Amino acid sequence: MRLSTALLPGLLVLASPLLAQMINADVTIPEGYRDGDHYTTVTRGGITEEIYTSAEAIAAARAGQPFPEGTRITMDDLRDGALYRILVMEKRADWSDLSVAGSWQFREFAPDGSPDLRQDGSRCQACHASQQQSDYVFTRDRMID
Ligand code: HEC
């Protein structure tokens, strides 16, 4: 009994990142996203970011509404013209109490589409949390222009 009580805090510490990992494991790359709505390009030095989402998400931004449930925003991050990584953020109402960035979860993928299993998306969330006024999306205004 005494042993299991001593182990409990350690188990909780282990369980919380695992929970976050499980949640962000549900974030997937939208099939055929490059044929969908490409709404902006961001360039910085040798970095080019091509950003895509759905027509429904763009319509919501233009109407001044929050992004609809199920919205995914996908970014191709290119370094010196070659695909370096793919970033995806996805919104689902039932993720709201598991995220500091609204109802969004975040995930990084290698160019071949395999997920980065070392990251649970909490670093991504922490930075995007600053964009609460635009539903946690930095480039929301670019959907409107
Ligand atoms: C230090 C801050 C920071 C971190 C950490 C960060 N982002 Fe972002 N993210 C940005 C900024 C700023 C933009 C706007 C584009 C730009 O200026 O590069 C952006 C844009 C995006 C976009 C396009 C939609 C939007 O918000 O404009 C996606 C998708 C995205 N990030 C996913 C991720 C994922 C996935 C991670 C973690 C692997 C991540 N981000 C980590 C700052 C951050």
Side-chain angles (χ1 to χ4, degrees), residues 29 33-34 74-79 81-88 107-116 118:
I29 300 174
Y33 67 94
R34 290 188 189 115
T74 308
M75 178 199 282
D76 282 345
D77 176 345
L78 300 106
R79 307 283 165 103
L83 188 60
Y84 174 73
R85 59 179 184 165
I86 303 166
L87 301 183
V88 182
R107 204 172 186 200
E108 177 173 340
F109 300 84
D112 68 359
S114 57
D116 182 345
R118 294 163 305 171

Side-chain angles (χ1 to χ4, degrees), residues 3-49:
L3 185 63
S4 60
T5 310
L7 280 173
L8 195 58
L11 286 173
L12 287 175
V13 165
L14 276 175
S16 47
L18 283 174
L19 183 66
Q21 188 104 20
M22 274 165 53
I23 301 297
N24 107 324
D26 287 338
V27 177
T28 53
I29 300 174
E31 207 175 314
Y33 67 94
R34 290 188 189 115
D35 301 326
D37 281 79
H38 173 269
Y39 69 89
T40 196
T41 304
V42 177
T43 51
R44 200 182 311 109
I47 302 173
T48 305
E49 298 169 344

Side-chain angles (χ1 to χ4, degrees), residues 39 42 44 49 51 73 75 87-89 106-108 119 123-124 127-128 137-139:
Y39 69 89
V42 177
R44 200 182 311 109
E49 298 169 344
I51 313 181
I73 307 178
M75 178 199 282
L87 301 183
V88 182
M89 58 189 286
F106 297 75
R107 204 172 186 200
E108 177 173 340
Q119 286 193 52
R123 218 171 42 85
C124 325
C127 190
H128 280 253
V137 175
F138 281 94
T139 52

Side-chain angles (χ1 to χ4, degrees), residues 100-101 106 121-132 136 138:
V100 293
F106 297 75
S122 52
R123 218 171 42 85
C124 325
Q125 283 187 33
C127 190
H128 280 253
S130 65
Q131 302 304 301
Q132 190 177 2
Y136 305 96
F138 281 94

